[in-house]
Amino acid sequence: MGENKDFYWRYQPPLDSDHAVLLSYIQDRELHPDANTREMILRAISAYYMPLALSNEGSKTAAQIEQIGIDSIFALLRQVDRICAALGLDRSKFGGIVPMGVGMWSNFGTSTAGGAFNAGLPASMPTPERQAEIEEDFDPEIWNIGGLSTHSEVFSD
């Protein structure tokens, strides 16, 4: 994969701040036994910024950028859905952003009762099987952010 670039980030939020609660939540291995802190942070920032960063950088083809954008949108929509489900939020308040709620992806690419193709979502979105394959093959190392490390320490004044 070539050389690695080290990224260091140090942040010391006040202990009673929302950011301290957020970062403690991300680091809680009991809540997230299948993901470490680095993976969780990379997953979040990749969904939010990766298509824009790679498009700006210019080494990917338009088709690659489009697919990365689609993957990111799926990740963000799944997160919107998780937040709505966890907090009991009414999805209809979001102007159709998440129109179908918790299994919104389950009918994409299938036939309707009359045999017609379900075109409720854009044709460029991957099928549920392809999305599962994308998620299964996700490797944060592919984004070349090697060396990113996070940890927290409590400091008193």
Side-chain angles (χ1 to χ4, degrees), residues 111-157:
S111 297
T112 61
F117 183 75
N118 180 4
L121 296 172
S124 61
M125 291 186 173
T127 64
E129 294 80 15
R130 174 68 181 125
Q131 184 61 32
E133 183 180 304
I134 291 167
E135 290 176 7
E136 183 176 312
D137 294 338
F138 176 75
D139 178 10
E141 297 298 327
I142 200 167
W143 302 115
N144 196 19
I145 307 179
L148 178 69
S149 64
T150 57
H151 67 281
S152 66
E153 297 175 343
V154 177
F155 297 92
S156 57
D157 294 328

mmCIF file of all heavy atoms in Angstrom, residues 111-157:
data_model
loop_
_atom_site.group_PDB
_atom_site.id
_atom_site.type_symbol
_atom_site.label_atom_id
_atom_site.label_comp_id
_atom_site.label_asym_id
_atom_site.label_seq_id
_atom_site.Cartn_x
_atom_site.Cartn_y
_atom_site.Cartn_z
ATOM 1 N N SER A 111 -38.955 -7.218 -7.238
ATOM 2 C CA SER A 111 -40.174 -7.042 -8.023
ATOM 3 C C SER A 111 -41.335 -6.726 -7.102
ATOM 4 O O SER A 111 -41.408 -7.224 -5.984
ATOM 5 C CB SER A 111 -40.484 -8.318 -8.805
ATOM 6 O OG SER A 111 -39.452 -8.581 -9.719
ATOM 7 N N THR A 112 -42.261 -5.914 -7.595
ATOM 8 C CA THR A 112 -43.473 -5.631 -6.841
ATOM 9 C C THR A 112 -44.457 -6.760 -7.078
ATOM 10 O O THR A 112 -44.201 -7.673 -7.864
ATOM 11 C CB THR A 112 -44.085 -4.286 -7.292
ATOM 12 O OG1 THR A 112 -44.424 -4.388 -8.667
ATOM 13 C CG2 THR A 112 -43.118 -3.142 -7.068
ATOM 14 N N ALA A 113 -45.616 -6.677 -6.421
ATOM 15 C CA ALA A 113 -46.614 -7.743 -6.543
ATOM 16 C C ALA A 113 -47.034 -7.955 -8.001
ATOM 17 O O ALA A 113 -47.285 -9.062 -8.423
ATOM 18 C CB ALA A 113 -47.829 -7.410 -5.687
ATOM 19 N N GLY A 114 -47.070 -6.870 -8.791
ATOM 20 C CA GLY A 114 -47.464 -6.994 -10.187
ATOM 21 C C GLY A 114 -46.330 -7.395 -11.106
ATOM 22 O O GLY A 114 -46.500 -7.479 -12.308
ATOM 23 N N GLY A 115 -45.157 -7.636 -10.558
ATOM 24 C CA GLY A 115 -44.022 -8.051 -11.350
ATOM 25 C C GLY A 115 -43.143 -6.914 -11.834
ATOM 26 O O GLY A 115 -42.109 -7.143 -12.441
ATOM 27 N N ALA A 116 -43.568 -5.665 -11.574
ATOM 28 C CA ALA A 116 -42.760 -4.517 -12.006
ATOM 29 C C ALA A 116 -41.558 -4.352 -11.087
ATOM 30 O O ALA A 116 -41.590 -4.718 -9.916
ATOM 31 C CB ALA A 116 -43.612 -3.252 -11.984
ATOM 32 N N PHE A 117 -40.502 -3.787 -11.631
ATOM 33 C CA PHE A 117 -39.289 -3.544 -10.853
ATOM 34 C C PHE A 117 -39.539 -2.424 -9.861
ATOM 35 O O PHE A 117 -40.166 -1.417 -10.185
ATOM 36 C CB PHE A 117 -38.138 -3.180 -11.794
ATOM 37 C CG PHE A 117 -36.837 -2.986 -11.097
ATOM 38 C CD1 PHE A 117 -36.108 -4.068 -10.622
ATOM 39 C CD2 PHE A 117 -36.330 -1.715 -10.893
ATOM 40 C CE1 PHE A 117 -34.903 -3.888 -9.981
ATOM 41 C CE2 PHE A 117 -35.128 -1.521 -10.244
ATOM 42 C CZ PHE A 117 -34.413 -2.611 -9.796
ATOM 43 N N ASN A 118 -39.075 -2.600 -8.620
ATOM 44 C CA ASN A 118 -39.225 -1.577 -7.590
ATOM 45 C C ASN A 118 -38.233 -0.456 -7.864
ATOM 46 O O ASN A 118 -37.048 -0.584 -7.601
ATOM 47 C CB ASN A 118 -38.988 -2.183 -6.210
ATOM 48 C CG ASN A 118 -39.141 -1.157 -5.108
ATOM 49 O OD1 ASN A 118 -39.490 -0.010 -5.360
ATOM 50 N ND2 ASN A 118 -38.901 -1.582 -3.888
ATOM 51 N N ALA A 119 -38.725 0.656 -8.378
ATOM 52 C CA ALA A 119 -37.860 1.787 -8.716
ATOM 53 C C ALA A 119 -38.030 2.922 -7.724
ATOM 54 O O ALA A 119 -37.808 4.074 -8.050
ATOM 55 C CB ALA A 119 -38.167 2.259 -10.127
ATOM 56 N N GLY A 120 -38.433 2.617 -6.506
ATOM 57 C CA GLY A 120 -38.649 3.645 -5.497
ATOM 58 C C GLY A 120 -37.379 4.370 -5.103
ATOM 59 O O GLY A 120 -37.424 5.486 -4.634
ATOM 60 N N LEU A 121 -36.241 3.753 -5.276
ATOM 61 C CA LEU A 121 -34.954 4.369 -4.981
ATOM 62 C C LEU A 121 -34.162 4.483 -6.276
ATOM 63 O O LEU A 121 -34.374 3.726 -7.204
ATOM 64 C CB LEU A 121 -34.171 3.522 -3.965
ATOM 65 C CG LEU A 121 -34.802 3.394 -2.589
ATOM 66 C CD1 LEU A 121 -34.042 2.383 -1.754
ATOM 67 C CD2 LEU A 121 -34.850 4.733 -1.889
ATOM 68 N N PRO A 122 -33.245 5.426 -6.364
ATOM 69 C CA PRO A 122 -32.462 5.584 -7.594
ATOM 70 C C PRO A 122 -31.778 4.284 -8.007
ATOM 71 O O PRO A 122 -31.284 3.530 -7.183
ATOM 72 C CB PRO A 122 -31.431 6.643 -7.221
ATOM 73 C CG PRO A 122 -32.049 7.393 -6.095
ATOM 74 C CD PRO A 122 -32.888 6.396 -5.351
ATOM 75 N N ALA A 123 -31.725 4.056 -9.307
ATOM 76 C CA ALA A 123 -31.155 2.821 -9.837
ATOM 77 C C ALA A 123 -29.662 2.706 -9.549
ATOM 78 O O ALA A 123 -29.107 1.619 -9.579
ATOM 79 C CB ALA A 123 -31.404 2.743 -11.338
ATOM 80 N N SER A 124 -28.988 3.816 -9.240
ATOM 81 C CA SER A 124 -27.550 3.771 -8.990
ATOM 82 C C SER A 124 -27.212 3.208 -7.614
ATOM 83 O O SER A 124 -26.053 2.923 -7.330
ATOM 84 C CB SER A 124 -26.947 5.168 -9.129
ATOM 85 O OG SER A 124 -27.522 6.043 -8.183
ATOM 86 N N MET A 125 -28.194 3.055 -6.737
ATOM 87 C CA MET A 125 -27.928 2.523 -5.402
ATOM 88 C C MET A 125 -27.733 1.022 -5.487
ATOM 89 O O MET A 125 -28.440 0.340 -6.220
ATOM 90 C CB MET A 125 -29.058 2.863 -4.441
ATOM 91 C CG MET A 125 -29.135 4.321 -4.116
ATOM 92 S SD MET A 125 -30.381 4.604 -2.851
ATOM 93 C CE MET A 125 -30.115 6.311 -2.526
ATOM 94 N N PRO A 126 -26.800 0.473 -4.722
ATOM 95 C CA PRO A 126 -26.558 -0.967 -4.775
ATOM 96 C C PRO A 126 -27.719 -1.767 -4.187
ATOM 97 O O PRO A 126 -28.440 -1.273 -3.339
ATOM 98 C CB PRO A 126 -25.286 -1.149 -3.941
ATOM 99 C CG PRO A 126 -25.159 0.066 -3.117
ATOM 100 C CD PRO A 126 -25.877 1.161 -3.823
ATOM 101 N N THR A 127 -27.825 -2.985 -4.639
ATOM 102 C CA THR A 127 -28.835 -3.883 -4.100
ATOM 103 C C THR A 127 -28.486 -4.200 -2.648
ATOM 104 O O THR A 127 -27.343 -4.006 -2.219
ATOM 105 C CB THR A 127 -28.875 -5.191 -4.907
ATOM 106 O OG1 THR A 127 -27.612 -5.849 -4.749
ATOM 107 C CG2 THR A 127 -29.172 -4.944 -6.371
ATOM 108 N N PRO A 128 -29.439 -4.723 -1.869
ATOM 109 C CA PRO A 128 -29.123 -5.091 -0.483
ATOM 110 C C PRO A 128 -27.959 -6.092 -0.389
ATOM 111 O O PRO A 128 -27.126 -6.007 0.506
ATOM 112 C CB PRO A 128 -30.423 -5.705 0.038
ATOM 113 C CG PRO A 128 -31.487 -5.083 -0.800
ATOM 114 C CD PRO A 128 -30.860 -4.887 -2.165
ATOM 115 N N GLU A 129 -27.896 -7.028 -1.357
ATOM 116 C CA GLU A 129 -26.802 -8.002 -1.343
ATOM 117 C C GLU A 129 -25.454 -7.302 -1.571
ATOM 118 O O GLU A 129 -24.464 -7.601 -0.915
ATOM 119 C CB GLU A 129 -27.011 -9.073 -2.412
ATOM 120 C CG GLU A 129 -28.210 -9.968 -2.176
ATOM 121 C CD GLU A 129 -29.541 -9.328 -2.586
ATOM 122 O OE1 GLU A 129 -29.548 -8.315 -3.304
ATOM 123 O OE2 GLU A 129 -30.580 -9.837 -2.154
ATOM 124 N N ARG A 130 -25.429 -6.370 -2.531
ATOM 125 C CA ARG A 130 -24.190 -5.632 -2.821
ATOM 126 C C ARG A 130 -23.810 -4.752 -1.634
ATOM 127 O O ARG A 130 -22.643 -4.651 -1.281
ATOM 128 C CB ARG A 130 -24.369 -4.778 -4.088
ATOM 129 C CG ARG A 130 -23.183 -3.870 -4.377
ATOM 130 C CD ARG A 130 -21.933 -4.664 -4.782
ATOM 131 N NE ARG A 130 -20.847 -3.725 -5.012
ATOM 132 C CZ ARG A 130 -19.665 -3.777 -4.411
ATOM 133 N NH1 ARG A 130 -19.379 -4.750 -3.579
ATOM 134 N NH2 ARG A 130 -18.747 -2.876 -4.649
ATOM 135 N N GLN A 131 -24.801 -4.131 -0.981
ATOM 136 C CA GLN A 131 -24.516 -3.295 0.183
ATOM 137 C C GLN A 131 -23.926 -4.140 1.311
ATOM 138 O O GLN A 131 -22.980 -3.723 1.972
ATOM 139 C CB GLN A 131 -25.777 -2.571 0.658
ATOM 140 C CG GLN A 131 -25.531 -1.615 1.804
ATOM 141 C CD GLN A 131 -24.556 -0.507 1.458
ATOM 142 O OE1 GLN A 131 -24.485 -0.061 0.328
ATOM 143 N NE2 GLN A 131 -23.790 -0.071 2.432
ATOM 144 N N ALA A 132 -24.467 -5.334 1.525
ATOM 145 C CA ALA A 132 -23.928 -6.226 2.553
ATOM 146 C C ALA A 132 -22.484 -6.601 2.216
ATOM 147 O O ALA A 132 -21.619 -6.664 3.097
ATOM 148 C CB ALA A 132 -24.792 -7.473 2.688
ATOM 149 N N GLU A 133 -22.218 -6.847 0.939
ATOM 150 C CA GLU A 133 -20.859 -7.172 0.490
ATOM 151 C C GLU A 133 -19.913 -5.989 0.719
ATOM 152 O O GLU A 133 -18.795 -6.165 1.194
ATOM 153 C CB GLU A 133 -20.902 -7.541 -0.985
ATOM 154 C CG GLU A 133 -19.583 -7.964 -1.570
ATOM 155 C CD GLU A 133 -19.741 -8.304 -3.053
ATOM 156 O OE1 GLU A 133 -20.572 -9.162 -3.385
ATOM 157 O OE2 GLU A 133 -19.023 -7.677 -3.852
ATOM 158 N N ILE A 134 -20.367 -4.786 0.429
ATOM 159 C CA ILE A 134 -19.559 -3.584 0.648
ATOM 160 C C ILE A 134 -19.219 -3.441 2.124
ATOM 161 O O ILE A 134 -18.076 -3.186 2.496
ATOM 162 C CB ILE A 134 -20.303 -2.325 0.132
ATOM 163 C CG1 ILE A 134 -20.392 -2.350 -1.390
ATOM 164 C CG2 ILE A 134 -19.625 -1.045 0.623
ATOM 165 C CD1 ILE A 134 -21.370 -1.338 -1.962
ATOM 166 N N GLU A 135 -20.217 -3.611 2.978
ATOM 167 C CA GLU A 135 -19.989 -3.485 4.419
ATOM 168 C C GLU A 135 -19.057 -4.577 4.926
ATOM 169 O O GLU A 135 -18.203 -4.320 5.771
ATOM 170 C CB GLU A 135 -21.318 -3.538 5.162
ATOM 171 C CG GLU A 135 -22.167 -2.316 4.938
ATOM 172 C CD GLU A 135 -23.530 -2.416 5.593
ATOM 173 O OE1 GLU A 135 -23.797 -3.373 6.347
ATOM 174 O OE2 GLU A 135 -24.335 -1.531 5.325
ATOM 175 N N GLU A 136 -19.227 -5.792 4.418
ATOM 176 C CA GLU A 136 -18.388 -6.907 4.857
ATOM 177 C C GLU A 136 -16.931 -6.681 4.466
ATOM 178 O O GLU A 136 -16.022 -7.011 5.214
ATOM 179 C CB GLU A 136 -18.897 -8.203 4.238
ATOM 180 C CG GLU A 136 -18.138 -9.427 4.701
ATOM 181 C CD GLU A 136 -18.749 -10.692 4.127
ATOM 182 O OE1 GLU A 136 -19.971 -10.871 4.199
ATOM 183 O OE2 GLU A 136 -17.973 -11.505 3.598
ATOM 184 N N ASP A 137 -16.716 -6.086 3.300
ATOM 185 C CA ASP A 137 -15.362 -5.865 2.800
ATOM 186 C C ASP A 137 -14.769 -4.535 3.255
ATOM 187 O O ASP A 137 -13.661 -4.191 2.844
ATOM 188 C CB ASP A 137 -15.349 -5.915 1.276
ATOM 189 C CG ASP A 137 -15.686 -7.298 0.754
ATOM 190 O OD1 ASP A 137 -15.530 -8.279 1.509
ATOM 191 O OD2 ASP A 137 -16.116 -7.391 -0.408
ATOM 192 N N PHE A 138 -15.474 -3.764 4.088
ATOM 193 C CA PHE A 138 -14.965 -2.457 4.510
ATOM 194 C C PHE A 138 -13.671 -2.635 5.294
ATOM 195 O O PHE A 138 -13.578 -3.417 6.217
ATOM 196 C CB PHE A 138 -15.983 -1.725 5.382
ATOM 197 C CG PHE A 138 -15.457 -0.422 5.915
ATOM 198 C CD1 PHE A 138 -15.350 0.680 5.093
ATOM 199 C CD2 PHE A 138 -15.046 -0.324 7.228
ATOM 200 C CE1 PHE A 138 -14.851 1.873 5.576
ATOM 201 C CE2 PHE A 138 -14.549 0.864 7.720
ATOM 202 C CZ PHE A 138 -14.452 1.970 6.893
ATOM 203 N N ASP A 139 -12.655 -1.933 4.866
ATOM 204 C CA ASP A 139 -11.361 -1.961 5.536
ATOM 205 C C ASP A 139 -10.890 -0.529 5.722
ATOM 206 O O ASP A 139 -10.539 0.138 4.750
ATOM 207 C CB ASP A 139 -10.354 -2.746 4.696
ATOM 208 C CG ASP A 139 -8.971 -2.772 5.321
ATOM 209 O OD1 ASP A 139 -8.811 -2.353 6.483
ATOM 210 O OD2 ASP A 139 -8.035 -3.215 4.633
ATOM 211 N N PRO A 140 -10.891 -0.019 6.963
ATOM 212 C CA PRO A 140 -10.485 1.369 7.162
ATOM 213 C C PRO A 140 -9.054 1.644 6.716
ATOM 214 O O PRO A 140 -8.713 2.771 6.403
ATOM 215 C CB PRO A 140 -10.646 1.597 8.666
ATOM 216 C CG PRO A 140 -10.846 0.270 9.282
ATOM 217 C CD PRO A 140 -11.262 -0.678 8.202
ATOM 218 N N GLU A 141 -8.224 0.616 6.628
ATOM 219 C CA GLU A 141 -6.834 0.828 6.199
ATOM 220 C C GLU A 141 -6.750 1.251 4.730
ATOM 221 O O GLU A 141 -5.794 1.882 4.317
ATOM 222 C CB GLU A 141 -6.018 -0.449 6.417
ATOM 223 C CG GLU A 141 -5.892 -0.868 7.869
ATOM 224 C CD GLU A 141 -5.175 0.179 8.718
ATOM 225 O OE1 GLU A 141 -4.279 0.862 8.225
ATOM 226 O OE2 GLU A 141 -5.555 0.303 9.886
ATOM 227 N N ILE A 142 -7.788 0.910 3.941
ATOM 228 C CA ILE A 142 -7.765 1.258 2.527
ATOM 229 C C ILE A 142 -7.791 2.770 2.329
ATOM 230 O O ILE A 142 -7.404 3.281 1.295
ATOM 231 C CB ILE A 142 -8.922 0.582 1.785
ATOM 232 C CG1 ILE A 142 -8.639 0.518 0.290
ATOM 233 C CG2 ILE A 142 -10.229 1.324 2.003
ATOM 234 C CD1 ILE A 142 -9.576 -0.399 -0.460
ATOM 235 N N TRP A 143 -8.248 3.489 3.331
ATOM 236 C CA TRP A 143 -8.348 4.942 3.204
ATOM 237 C C TRP A 143 -7.012 5.613 3.506
ATOM 238 O O TRP A 143 -6.908 6.819 3.515
ATOM 239 C CB TRP A 143 -9.444 5.487 4.113
ATOM 240 C CG TRP A 143 -10.773 4.877 3.796
ATOM 241 C CD1 TRP A 143 -11.511 4.077 4.607
ATOM 242 C CD2 TRP A 143 -11.514 4.983 2.586
ATOM 243 N NE1 TRP A 143 -12.655 3.684 3.975
ATOM 244 C CE2 TRP A 143 -12.683 4.222 2.734
ATOM 245 C CE3 TRP A 143 -11.305 5.644 1.381
ATOM 246 C CZ2 TRP A 143 -13.634 4.111 1.737
ATOM 247 C CZ3 TRP A 143 -12.256 5.531 0.388
ATOM 248 C CH2 TRP A 143 -13.402 4.777 0.570
ATOM 249 N N ASN A 144 -5.964 4.859 3.747
ATOM 250 C CA ASN A 144 -4.625 5.394 3.955
ATOM 251 C C ASN A 144 -4.573 6.437 5.068
ATOM 252 O O ASN A 144 -4.011 7.510 4.909
ATOM 253 C CB ASN A 144 -4.061 5.972 2.653
ATOM 254 C CG ASN A 144 -2.564 6.164 2.732
ATOM 255 O OD1 ASN A 144 -1.901 5.562 3.575
ATOM 256 N ND2 ASN A 144 -2.020 6.991 1.866
ATOM 257 N N ILE A 145 -5.177 6.113 6.184
ATOM 258 C CA ILE A 145 -5.116 6.983 7.345
ATOM 259 C C ILE A 145 -4.391 6.209 8.445
ATOM 260 O O ILE A 145 -4.730 6.250 9.612
ATOM 261 C CB ILE A 145 -6.526 7.426 7.788
ATOM 262 C CG1 ILE A 145 -7.275 8.037 6.609
ATOM 263 C CG2 ILE A 145 -6.438 8.461 8.891
ATOM 264 C CD1 ILE A 145 -8.678 8.499 6.910
ATOM 265 N N GLY A 146 -3.362 5.478 8.051
ATOM 266 C CA GLY A 146 -2.587 4.692 8.996
ATOM 267 C C GLY A 146 -1.955 5.582 10.045
ATOM 268 O O GLY A 146 -1.569 6.710 9.790
ATOM 269 N N GLY A 147 -1.878 5.086 11.220
ATOM 270 C CA GLY A 147 -1.225 5.818 12.288
ATOM 271 C C GLY A 147 -2.165 6.685 13.101
ATOM 272 O O GLY A 147 -1.754 7.256 14.101
ATOM 273 N N LEU A 148 -3.435 6.804 12.690
ATOM 274 C CA LEU A 148 -4.368 7.583 13.473
ATOM 275 C C LEU A 148 -4.582 6.860 14.786
ATOM 276 O O LEU A 148 -4.891 5.683 14.828
ATOM 277 C CB LEU A 148 -5.695 7.730 12.726
ATOM 278 C CG LEU A 148 -6.794 8.481 13.452
ATOM 279 C CD1 LEU A 148 -6.405 9.957 13.565
ATOM 280 C CD2 LEU A 148 -8.104 8.360 12.719
ATOM 281 N N SER A 149 -4.375 7.550 15.858
ATOM 282 C CA SER A 149 -4.593 6.927 17.156
ATOM 283 C C SER A 149 -5.391 7.875 18.021
ATOM 284 O O SER A 149 -5.311 9.090 17.888
ATOM 285 C CB SER A 149 -3.269 6.584 17.837
ATOM 286 O OG SER A 149 -2.549 7.760 18.112
ATOM 287 N N THR A 150 -6.199 7.293 18.860
ATOM 288 C CA THR A 150 -6.987 8.093 19.781
ATOM 289 C C THR A 150 -6.901 7.450 21.150
ATOM 290 O O THR A 150 -6.821 6.239 21.296
ATOM 291 C CB THR A 150 -8.474 8.155 19.354
ATOM 292 O OG1 THR A 150 -8.961 6.818 19.261
ATOM 293 C CG2 THR A 150 -8.617 8.843 18.015
ATOM 294 N N HIS A 151 -6.882 8.267 22.137
ATOM 295 C CA HIS A 151 -6.943 7.798 23.516
ATOM 296 C C HIS A 151 -7.376 8.972 24.363
ATOM 297 O O HIS A 151 -7.394 10.111 23.922
ATOM 298 C CB HIS A 151 -5.583 7.252 23.975
ATOM 299 C CG HIS A 151 -4.532 8.295 24.071
ATOM 300 N ND1 HIS A 151 -3.853 8.772 22.948
ATOM 301 C CD2 HIS A 151 -4.047 8.985 25.119
ATOM 302 C CE1 HIS A 151 -2.998 9.692 23.323
ATOM 303 N NE2 HIS A 151 -3.087 9.847 24.629
ATOM 304 N N SER A 152 -7.756 8.698 25.589
ATOM 305 C CA SER A 152 -8.165 9.798 26.446
ATOM 306 C C SER A 152 -7.467 9.663 27.787
ATOM 307 O O SER A 152 -7.146 8.571 28.245
ATOM 308 C CB SER A 152 -9.679 9.786 26.649
ATOM 309 O OG SER A 152 -10.071 8.652 27.377
ATOM 310 N N GLU A 153 -7.227 10.779 28.367
ATOM 311 C CA GLU A 153 -6.660 10.863 29.705
ATOM 312 C C GLU A 153 -7.399 11.964 30.431
ATOM 313 O O GLU A 153 -7.838 12.946 29.808
ATOM 314 C CB GLU A 153 -5.170 11.183 29.665
ATOM 315 C CG GLU A 153 -4.341 10.115 28.983
ATOM 316 C CD GLU A 153 -2.879 10.520 28.859
ATOM 317 O OE1 GLU A 153 -2.559 11.713 28.995
ATOM 318 O OE2 GLU A 153 -2.074 9.623 28.626
ATOM 319 N N VAL A 154 -7.541 11.828 31.720
ATOM 320 C CA VAL A 154 -8.183 12.848 32.514
ATOM 321 C C VAL A 154 -7.118 13.675 33.192
ATOM 322 O O VAL A 154 -6.226 13.148 33.853
ATOM 323 C CB VAL A 154 -9.123 12.217 33.580
ATOM 324 C CG1 VAL A 154 -9.737 13.275 34.463
ATOM 325 C CG2 VAL A 154 -10.200 11.392 32.890
ATOM 326 N N PHE A 155 -7.178 14.957 32.978
ATOM 327 C CA PHE A 155 -6.220 15.864 33.582
ATOM 328 C C PHE A 155 -6.951 16.796 34.530
ATOM 329 O O PHE A 155 -8.047 17.261 34.225
ATOM 330 C CB PHE A 155 -5.516 16.719 32.515
ATOM 331 C CG PHE A 155 -4.699 15.923 31.555
ATOM 332 C CD1 PHE A 155 -5.234 15.462 30.364
ATOM 333 C CD2 PHE A 155 -3.381 15.587 31.856
ATOM 334 C CE1 PHE A 155 -4.481 14.722 29.490
ATOM 335 C CE2 PHE A 155 -2.628 14.858 30.974
ATOM 336 C CZ PHE A 155 -3.178 14.413 29.793
ATOM 337 N N SER A 156 -6.383 17.047 35.665
ATOM 338 C CA SER A 156 -7.003 17.991 36.602
ATOM 339 C C SER A 156 -6.166 19.266 36.615
ATOM 340 O O SER A 156 -4.956 19.243 36.349
ATOM 341 C CB SER A 156 -7.093 17.387 37.995
ATOM 342 O OG SER A 156 -5.812 17.000 38.444
ATOM 343 N N ASP A 157 -6.828 20.361 36.864
ATOM 344 C CA ASP A 157 -6.139 21.646 36.883
ATOM 345 C C ASP A 157 -5.248 21.805 38.086
ATOM 346 O O ASP A 157 -5.365 21.470 39.133
ATOM 347 C CB ASP A 157 -7.134 22.800 36.837
ATOM 348 C CG ASP A 157 -7.849 22.781 35.494
ATOM 349 O OD1 ASP A 157 -7.236 22.377 34.495
ATOM 350 O OD2 ASP A 157 -9.016 23.190 35.456
#
